[in-house]
């Protein structure tokens, strides 16, 4: 009921202004005594043993995470954790802060429960994010999504990703290499071939070097976020590059350039990535293909079109060890997290599994 009231106000505003107001409010909540406890009381997820899982050496109280793109600068991570998320991903961040693309650049497609965005990695930069995250006390794993600056040519892209990793290594539990946003020119070409291999080798090497400065500590996981628009051949090449690079997993998927499901909408012709319900089927197909290609040997985080427990459970059965939401949170509100977590638990137990993790790829 609370979110229904808030949504009626927020959806009268420009989408990006509504976004900034929401993140600003949640950021403020992290500094108000008692506010995080209130969020936990209203929206937190009970600690069910059947929901707990371990992926890439990290322990998660439940498999429902927040996708990158909502908290771009890492200022509200504690508030999202208080809402019950089993993990939180912030970013995308670049070494140097940048304004992103010209506005308007975010569009609601309410009839389809979808969004189109062409934000363009607008963020305050890695140093400023590090300062914010240094103040955060995260009760769940924190993932940092890293990208390159728009002005950095692809042949120097590895320098940007390594720079982000060095600046933020002490503040994240895991890192996601974003080479799949459709809103930075040329970025998606980094997903294939020699460019992909060179980039991942550089990032993995930097991670290994940084880990040696922390005696006794495990290497922090590095994952790669891929696009849903890859052909079968391109996807196989990308997966092969990831497997060969010492990278720890994949996030499937980013937003799509496809418009067929929303072709009739007045915003369908807007440039940018489409997210939300129209992405559900394709992202699940990619998860299933990656799981099959790697025989379940590469952890997958499933993202794209998750609105119901059945949506999340389908991705888990397809091969996702964890799942993430973003667009559904905009349309459904913070009560979504508990609804998904408890619903997935119920579905797994009904199928005879002792835990949700047992259902992965089954």
């Amino acid at each position: 009921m609370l979110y229904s009231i808030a949504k009626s106000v927020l959806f009268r505003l420009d989408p990006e202004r509504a976004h900034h107001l929401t993140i600003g409010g949640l950021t403020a909540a992290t500094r108000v005594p008692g506010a995080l406890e209130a969020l936990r009381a209203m929206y937190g997820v009970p600690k069910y043993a059947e929901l707990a899982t371990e992926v890439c050496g990290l322990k998660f109280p439940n498999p429902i995470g927040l996708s990158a793109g909502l908290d771009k600068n890492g200022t509200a991570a504690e508030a999202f954790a208080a809402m019950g998320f089993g993990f939180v991903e912030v970013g995308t961040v670049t070494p140097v802060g940048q304004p992103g693309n010209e506005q308007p650049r975010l569009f609601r497609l309410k009839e389809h429960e979808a969004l189109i965005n062409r934000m363009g990695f607008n963020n305050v930069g890695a140093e400023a994010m590090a300062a914010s995250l240094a103040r955060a006390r995260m009760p769940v794993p924190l993932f940092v999504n890293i990208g390159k600056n728009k002005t950095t040519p692809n042949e120097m892209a590895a320098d940007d990703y390594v720079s982000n990793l060095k600046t933020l290594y002490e503040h994240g539990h895991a890192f996601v290499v974003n080479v799949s946003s459709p809103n930075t020119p040329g970025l998606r070409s980094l997903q294939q071939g020699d460019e992909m291999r060179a980039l991942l080798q550089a990032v993995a090497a930097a991670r290994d070097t940084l880990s040696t400065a922390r005696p006794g500590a495990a290497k922090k996981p590095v994952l790669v976020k891929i696009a849903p628009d890859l052909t079968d051949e391109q996807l196989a090449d990308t997966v092969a590059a990831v497997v060969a690079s010492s990278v720890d997993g994949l996030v499937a998927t980013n937003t799509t350039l496809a418009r067929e499901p929303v072709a009739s909408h007045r915003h369908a012709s807007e440039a940018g990535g489409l997210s939300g319900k129209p992405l559900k089927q394709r992202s699940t197909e990619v998860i299933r293909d990656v799981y099959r290609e790697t025989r379940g040997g590469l952890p997958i985080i499933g993202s794209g079109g998750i609105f119901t427990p059945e949506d999340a459970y389908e991705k888990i059965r397809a091969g996702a060890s964890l799942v993430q939401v973003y667009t559904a949170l905009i349309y459904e509100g913070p009560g979504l997290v508990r609804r998904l977590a408890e619903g997935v638990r119920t579905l797994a137990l009904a199928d005879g599994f002792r835990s949700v993790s047992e259902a992965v790829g089954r």
Side-chain angles (χ1 to χ4, degrees):
M1 184 183 299
L2 285 173
Y3 188 69
S4 294
I5 296 169
K7 181 179 174 181
S8 67
V9 175
L10 292 170
F11 270 49
R12 291 192 184 100
L13 302 175
D14 168 77
E16 189 165 351
R17 176 166 170 72
H19 171 91
H20 289 312
L21 283 173
T22 302
I23 296 300
L26 291 173
T27 300
T30 65
R31 299 191 290 266
V32 176
L36 295 181
E37 288 75 10
L39 284 173
R40 290 189 191 97
M42 287 190 290
Y43 303 116
V45 176
K47 292 187 180 298
Y48 295 109
E50 299 89 349
L51 286 174
T53 188
E54 184 171 333
V55 181
C56 296
L58 299 174
K59 294 182 179 180
F60 301 80
N62 70 70
I64 313 300
L66 177 71
S67 182
L70 197 56
D71 187 6
K72 290 181 177 294
N73 297 316
T75 60
E78 283 182 279
F80 283 114
M83 287 181 189
F85 282 107
F87 64 107
V88 174
E89 185 174 339
V90 298
T92 299
V93 64
T94 55
V96 179
Q98 59 183 28
N101 295 322
E102 291 184 5
Q103 299 184 31
R105 54 192 180 181
L106 180 61
F107 306 89
R108 300 187 192 100
L109 290 74
K110 289 185 283 188
E111 300 91 327
H112 301 280
E113 293 184 281
L115 299 171
I116 290 175
N117 92 82
R118 52 171 179 267
M119 305 301 285
F121 290 173
N122 55 308
N123 73 102
V124 295
E127 292 286 354
M129 176 183 276
S132 293
L133 296 182
R135 296 189 292 268
R137 299 293 178 264
M138 293 298 293
V140 298
L142 177 72
F143 286 56
V144 181
N145 188 294
I146 56 177
K148 79 173 187 73
N149 280 111
K150 184 177 181 179
T151 56
T152 302
N154 276 8
E155 57 267 25
M156 298 178 64
D159 294 343
D160 276 13
Y161 289 94
V162 168
S163 174
N164 282 322
L165 197 64
K166 289 178 177 178
T167 302
L168 291 156
Y169 195 75
E170 292 303 315
H171 306 292
H173 298 104
F175 297 85
V176 178
V177 176
N178 189 346
V179 288
S180 53
S181 170
N183 302 317
T184 295
L187 187 74
R188 284 191 167 188
S189 67
L190 293 173
Q191 290 180 108
Q192 285 99 47
D194 293 339
E195 285 187 291
M196 177 70 144
R197 290 171 175 80
L199 172 61
L200 296 185
Q201 287 170 3
V203 172
R207 183 270 311 271
D208 293 349
T209 299
L210 289 164
S211 70
T212 60
R214 306 167 72 247
K219 295 179 183 178
K220 294 187 177 182
V222 173
L223 299 89
V224 181
K225 189 167 189 175
I226 62 174
D229 305 316
L230 297 170
T231 65
D232 291 346
E233 183 179 353
Q234 289 171 333
L235 180 60
D237 182 60
T238 296
V239 171
V242 171
V243 170
S245 68
S246 300
V247 168
D248 302 279
L250 281 173
V251 180
T253 64
N254 213 317
T255 57
T256 180
L257 292 173
R259 291 293 187 270
E260 290 84 356
V262 299
S264 62
H265 197 278
R266 63 189 178 91
H267 289 319
S269 61
E270 294 289 351
L274 174 70
S275 64
K277 280 192 174 180
L279 184 56
K280 182 181 74 168
Q281 181 178 345
R282 177 54 185 160
S283 64
T284 303
E285 289 172 354
V286 172
I287 292 165
R288 188 174 290 114
D289 289 346
V290 171
Y291 190 84
R292 186 183 299 117
E293 187 82 18
T294 62
R295 299 180 181 178
L298 190 70
I300 303 167
I301 299 178
S303 180
I306 298 172
F307 277 71
T308 68
E310 290 76 14
D311 297 337
Y313 191 56
E314 181 182 31
K315 283 180 166 49
I316 290 168
R317 294 289 297 268
S321 297
L322 304 165
V323 295
Q324 292 178 313
V325 297
Y326 175 172
T327 303
L329 191 66
I330 305 301
Y331 284 98
E332 300 288 323
L336 172 73
V337 187
R338 183 188 296 172
R339 195 157 62 247
L340 291 178
E342 293 186 335
V344 163
R345 173 180 177 267
T346 297
L347 290 166
L349 294 176
D351 278 344
F353 298 113
R354 292 171 297 178
S355 66
V356 173
S357 61
E358 280 192 0
V360 174
R362 300 283 293 278

